[in-house]
Amino acid sequence: MYKKILAQIQCLMVVVLILLSFEGFAFGAQEAPEIMAPSAILMELQRGQILYKKNPEEKLHISSANKIMTGLIALEKMQNQLNTSITVSKKAVSVEGAVLNLEVGGKYPVEDLIYSVLLGSANDSANVLAEYIGGDEQGFVELMNKKAKELEMKDTYFTNPTGLYDENQYTTAYDLAVLIRYAVTKSNTFNEIFSSKARPWVDGRQILINSNELFWSYDGVDGGKTGYNEKERQTAITTATRNGQRLVCIVLDSPEESLYDDSVKLLDYGFSNFRTGILVSMGQPLKRVAVGDKSVDLVSIGDYYYTYPVGENYIKDIEFKVAENFDPPVLKSDVLGIAKYILEDGTVIEVSLHPAVDVYSSVGWFESLLNQVKEYRDITVLLCILFAIEVFIIIYHIVRMIKRAFSRLVSR
């Protein structure tokens, strides 16, 4: 009897283990991948949430950071002058990594030079842009470091626009992700260049080709840059979008043979294990407060998105900064408080709280009318102008009729 019960228990345990294994296979979260690169990061671009990191704050010499910052500053400083042609100096082209054989004294459009920096890693083009925009190379480097400080890239320092090795300059995977996120979300032109696979050079004899091989092998890739100072310590920066979710994968100082394998592992991990969805919907009631003698819902006036692991709520806490009572009048455009959503990864998302309806004080009809006029002032002004025009037209026609009648009386 004992043996029979024991056997049944063992069978039951086996069945449970099998079911759990299938559940883990079908629904369980995939473990973070192991990669060869000493430093890497995977970031969701819309909100900037970190989905994977490995030594993200390790200071490294990454030439691609210089090229990206040089291209970004050139676009921001010359945004309305991209067709302007720049004259090439002898000093600018006398540099290691001068791949385009720019002609001294020749003139080249700003936009083409930027493409050559970001697609072709052309150091001569980087120097030409730096001299023109910064006055000289040092002046441009000051702009680079000023921009890095503005973006709170706390572990980044530049000494040249090209990315040629200098022991005094450095950046990190995290800072580089911050830079990429800013560049592709704030500058449409940068995003277009960063997303380009190839572009003819101005001489018509050369083609600038993006060196990131994932453009041709990984579904959804829409941005990329590679580079290195030493062949066995390479960088790959890749953005990819699937189902409305755009990720940036940065792999630093990677051995050449594992550069793209590491990138694919991280992108696969991100798309398989994370989703971007709505945290708070427009019009969603979040809190109720008293406005005078009325109870009013506080709502969001827009959709707020966040990225979360598949199958997890991922909201750690919600804090409200809002008073309990308000004196009317309050309008739907007023911000009456903040709902602070704290996610499990430490991300804080602040949602502005607005009254769901306009609430006016208990006043007479005339003051209520004045409040409505103040709220819709632009429409009121337009209606007044139209009314005045209509009155003018009526008066004009009346005057004409009177003149005609008078003329007829005189003629008789």
Side-chain angles (χ1 to χ4, degrees), residues 46-47 276-286 299-306 341 349-352 354:
Q46 184 174 15
R47 173 109 11 222
T276 296
I278 293 180
L279 175 68
V280 177
S281 300
M282 182 173 64
Q284 178 180 336
L286 298 174
V299 302
S300 164
I301 61 171
D303 292 331
Y304 287 76
Y305 291 82
Y306 76 125
Y341 285 77
I349 302 174
E350 293 188 345
V351 179
S352 299
H354 299 254

Side-chain angles (χ1 to χ4, degrees), residues 53 79-80 90 153 193 199 205 327 331 374 379-380 411:
K53 58 185 177 181
Q79 56 182 329
N80 297 319
K90 183 177 181 180
M153 297 167 62
I193 298 173
R199 177 185 172 96
R205 296 190 299 272
D327 294 324
L331 305 178
K374 289 178 182 177
I379 296 176
T380 302
S411 62

